[in-house]
Amino acid sequence: MSAETTEPAAVGFARDEIDQDAPTRAARLKWVVVVDEGLPAGRAVNAAVCVAAATSDAVGGILGDAAVDADGAAHPGLPWAGCTVLAADPATLRAVRAKAASSAGTFVADMPAAAQHTRVYSEYLSSVGETAAEALDYCAVSVVGPRNRVDRIVRKLPLMP
């Protein structure tokens, strides 16, 4: 999985804009994960989880506070601003990634298909390193950016079934 930002400034929420009482649509940034609709369920979930892990680590303020149940057990924070999981064919997935990567103020984490075809991380790195960018196929792409920009990038892609 590779992660890139398209400008030097980090993408994320400032402390003063985190509002866990507001509806998700009120958040300045939108998070979507787009998954290859042709993947079997297990591989699709794996791809979505992997790009989400890269995203939650890189985008500041995206996770809310831990929830504590009535017995005092803590449940780690989830994305307070939401995350929508969409489906696309491989060509559309590649186009979404390209548009997002070229859009200023947008964070992109992707999972090239090589990640699911290798079992050793260094082999994955080598495989991606030997493949031209335009020849990479993707299992999933995670995009975080200004709501209107992300909406334009993903257009009207359907929710993942």
Side-chain angles (χ1 to χ4, degrees):
M1 168 185 11
S2 62
E4 76 181 58
T5 56
T6 56
E7 65 179 23
V11 174
F13 292 98
R15 279 195 179 282
D16 64 344
E17 59 182 346
I18 297 172
D19 185 355
Q20 297 177 140
D21 293 322
T24 58
R25 290 182 185 261
R28 176 180 59 84
L29 300 176
K30 181 173 185 170
W31 182 10
V32 298
V33 172
V34 186
V35 179
D36 179 342
E37 66 191 8
L39 290 175
R43 289 183 53 206
V45 170
N46 170 267
V49 167
C50 287
V51 297
T55 301
S56 66
D57 185 53
V59 177
I62 203 159
L63 298 180
D65 294 336
V68 179
D69 65 31
D71 296 322
H75 304 271
L78 298 173
W80 68 272
C83 178
T84 304
V85 181
L86 306 170
D89 61 77
T92 302
L93 190 58
R94 189 178 297 110
V96 164
R97 190 215 175 273
K99 287 177 188 173
S102 67
S103 181
T106 303
F107 172 84
V108 178
D110 59 55
M111 182 178 196
Q116 289 190 344
H117 300 292
T118 56
R119 295 290 176 250
V120 177
Y121 198 77
S122 62
E123 291 174 9
Y124 157 71
L125 295 174
S126 178
S127 177
V128 171
E130 296 167 358
T131 307
E134 66 272 358
L136 286 172
D137 290 320
Y138 297 97
C139 295
V141 175
S142 174
V143 180
V144 179
R147 184 167 293 285
N148 60 351
R149 192 171 307 149
V150 172
D151 284 341
R152 281 194 306 271
I153 291 169
V154 299
R155 293 171 278 139
K156 296 185 188 278
L157 291 175
L159 289 171
M160 184 161 178

